[in-house]
C-alpha cells in the first residue's frame, strides 16, 4: 500500500465520523510547486524519521458550512478556521498513526496547525514531492496537499 | 450528589465549545479552559477539577508533559487524554506518564461525556 493511500483512508474516515457527511476522492495528482489557495488553508508539519507536510485548502464558505455542521456557534469565520484546522490535524494524525504502525521506528509526530486565510495567497513547497488529493463534498471541494522529503521505501 | 468539575485543555477553541456544551448538558461544571499545557498545570492547582480532558499536541507545553506534572502533584488526578494519533508508542508514553484513559479523535461530545462518567464511577 502506497503511503498516500493511508492519507486517503484517513481523510475519508475522519471526515465521515467528524461531520457525518459523505466525501468522495475525485482526483489524485502530482501537486504543483506553487499552490493558489481557495481562501482557507491549514498546514500541519510532520516531524520524526521523515519530514513532511500536510496542507488542507478549501473556500471560506466551505469551512464555515462544515464547522456549522458541528455546532452553529462554529460558523463564525475564526472558529470555522480553527474547526478545519482540527479536522486537518485529525486526518493527518490518523494517517501518521497508520504509517507509524506499518514502519516501526519511524516515529512520526505532528506540529500544531498553522492557519492562513485570505484571497490571492500562494504557497510554495519546492523541496517536497507532493500529491494533491481533491475531494468533493456537498459543501464544496476540499484539497489536501501531502508531501515528504525523499521517497518512502 | 455535587456537580463534578471539568477542566478542558486543548489549543483548538472548537474543541472547547464541543466538549463544553456536551459536558454542561451532561451535568458537569466546566470550571476551567486551558489552551496549552502550561496553563493547564496552573489552572489545575487553582480550580482542582474532578476530571481533565487533555489534548496531546499543543504549543508551549504538550499534554503529556502537563499530565506528568499534574500527576506528580496529585497522583489521583483523573485525566482523559485526547489525541489525533493513536499509535502504540504514544499510548505507551501516556501510560508511562500515569494516564490510564485515552480517546482517539475524532469524537462526539456525548462520547466524551460517557467516557468521563465511566472514569468517575471507577
Amino acid at each position: 500500500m502506497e503511503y498516500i493511500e493511508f492519507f486517503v483512508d484517513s481523510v475519508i474516515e475522519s471526515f465521515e465520523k467528524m461531520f457525518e457527511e459523505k466525501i468522495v476522492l475525485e482526483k489524485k495528482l502530482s501537486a504543483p510547486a506553487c499552490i493558489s489557495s481557495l481562501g482557507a488553508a491549514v498546514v500541519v508539519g510532520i516531524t520524526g524519521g521523515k519530514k513532511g507536510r500536510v496542507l488542507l485548502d478549501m473556500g471560506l464558505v466551505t469551512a464555515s458550512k462544515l464547522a456549522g455542521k458541528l455546532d452553529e456557534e462554529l460558523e463564525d469565520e475564526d472558529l470555522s478556521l480553527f474547526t478545519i484546522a482540527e479536522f486537518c490535524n485529525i486526518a493527518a494524525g490518523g494517517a501518521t498513526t497508520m504509517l507509524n504502525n506499518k514502519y516501526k521506528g519511524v516515529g512520526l509526530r505532528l506540529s500544531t496547525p498553522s492557519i492562513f486565510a485570505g484571497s490571492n495567497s500562494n504557497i510554495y513547497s519546492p523541496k517536497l514531492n507532493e500529491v494533491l488529493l481533491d475531494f468533493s463534498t456537498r459543501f464544496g471541494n476540499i484539497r489536501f496537499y501531502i508531501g515528504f522529503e525523499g521517497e518512502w521505501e | 450528589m455535587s456537580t463534578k468539575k471539568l477542566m478542558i485543555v486543548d489549543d483548538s477553541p472548537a474543541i472547547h465549545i464541543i466538549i463544553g456544551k456536551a459536558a454542561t448538558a451532561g451535568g458537569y461544571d466546566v470550571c476551567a479552559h486551558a489552551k496549552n499545557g502550561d496553563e493547564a498545570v496552573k489552572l489545575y492547582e487553582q480550580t482542582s477539577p474532578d476530571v481533565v480532558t487533555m489534548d496531546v499536541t499543543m504549543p508551549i507545553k504538550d499534554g503529556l508533559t502537563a499530565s506528568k506534572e499534574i500527576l506528580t502533584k496529585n497522583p489521583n488526578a483523573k485525566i482523559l487524554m485526547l489525541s489525533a494519533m493513536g499509535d502504540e508508542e504514544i499510548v505507551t508514553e501516556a501510560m508511562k506518564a500515569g494516564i490510564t484513559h485515552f480517546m482517539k479523535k475524532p469524537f462526539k461530545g456525548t462520547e466524551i461525556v460517557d467516557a468521563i462518567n465511566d472514569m468517575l464511577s471507577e
Side-chain angles (χ1 to χ4, degrees):
Chain A
M1 190 170 178
E2 255 193 288
Y3 83 91
I4 199 68
E5 300 304 327
F6 291 114
F7 283 91
V8 173
D9 288 353
S10 182
V11 169
I12 293 170
E13 187 185 332
S14 302
F15 188 92
E16 290 183 350
K17 180 155 190 203
M18 191 166 169
F19 300 110
E20 295 179 327
E21 287 282 338
K22 286 299 290 177
I23 183 169
V24 176
L25 177 64
E26 298 290 349
K27 284 183 245 169
K28 183 170 73 174
L29 308 164
S30 286
C34 175
I35 297 158
S36 296
S37 173
L38 298 170
V42 179
V43 176
V44 172
I46 300 173
T47 60
K50 279 189 87 67
K51 307 260 181 295
R53 186 195 69 184
V54 175
L55 189 156
L56 167 62
D57 188 39
M58 68 179 75
L60 285 167
V61 173
T62 304
S64 175
K65 285 179 178 170
L66 280 174
K69 267 289 289 180
L70 298 184
D71 191 297
E72 281 181 11
E73 195 179 336
L74 298 175
E75 285 179 22
D76 164 87
E77 184 173 316
D78 285 353
L79 288 173
S80 69
L81 292 171
F82 279 111
T83 303
I84 63 161
E86 189 63 23
F87 167 58
C88 184
N89 183 49
I90 289 168
T96 50
T97 295
M98 289 186 256
L99 288 167
N100 282 342
N101 288 336
K102 179 172 181 183
Y103 300 98
K104 296 289 178 197
V106 69
L108 300 178
R109 288 289 176 264
L110 302 179
S111 68
T112 53
S114 300
I115 302 168
F116 304 89
S119 53
N120 301 320
S121 300
N122 290 328
I123 300 160
Y124 295 86
S125 53
K127 277 190 180 174
L128 302 179
N129 302 314
E130 281 195 312
V131 176
L132 160 60
L133 302 175
D134 190 0
F135 294 91
S136 63
T137 77
R138 76 182 175 101
F139 300 120
N141 277 36
I142 67 172
R143 296 174 181 166
F144 275 88
Y145 298 86
I146 297 145
F148 285 91
E149 290 179 7
E151 301 293 329
W152 283 88
E153 296 297 319
Chain B
M1 195 176 80
S2 64
T3 304
K4 298 290 185 186
K5 294 194 292 180
L6 166 70
M7 176 167 77
I8 303 169
V9 187
D10 204 297
D11 59 337
S12 170
I15 295 294
H16 282 267
I17 289 170
I18 291 165
I19 296 178
K21 285 188 174 179
T24 302
Y28 288 91
D29 167 23
V30 182
C31 66
H33 291 271
K35 58 182 180 293
N36 61 60
D38 198 39
E39 282 186 8
V41 174
K42 288 174 187 158
L43 285 170
Y44 186 88
E45 285 187 41
Q46 289 170 19
T47 62
S48 303
D50 295 290
V51 64
V52 178
T53 62
M54 179 79 76
D55 187 24
V56 174
T57 307
M58 293 183 289
I60 302 173
K61 185 179 284 179
D62 67 72
L64 281 171
T65 307
S67 297
K68 282 178 197 167
E69 291 180 21
I70 289 169
L71 286 161
T72 300
K73 289 173 184 164
N74 178 9
N76 297 319
K78 291 192 180 292
I79 299 174
L80 174 60
M81 185 68 76
L82 307 174
S83 176
M85 299 189 68
D87 54 280
E88 290 164 24
E89 199 178 317
I90 206 160
V91 173
T92 304
E93 208 177 329
M95 288 174 76
K96 274 187 193 165
I99 295 155
T100 51
H101 297 82
F102 195 94
M103 185 175 271
K104 192 174 176 304
K105 295 178 178 180
F107 49 74
K108 300 281 168 222
T110 49
E111 291 174 329
I112 293 287
V113 174
D114 288 345
I116 293 170
N117 288 341
D118 289 346
M119 284 171 76
L120 292 175
S121 64
E122 282 170 2

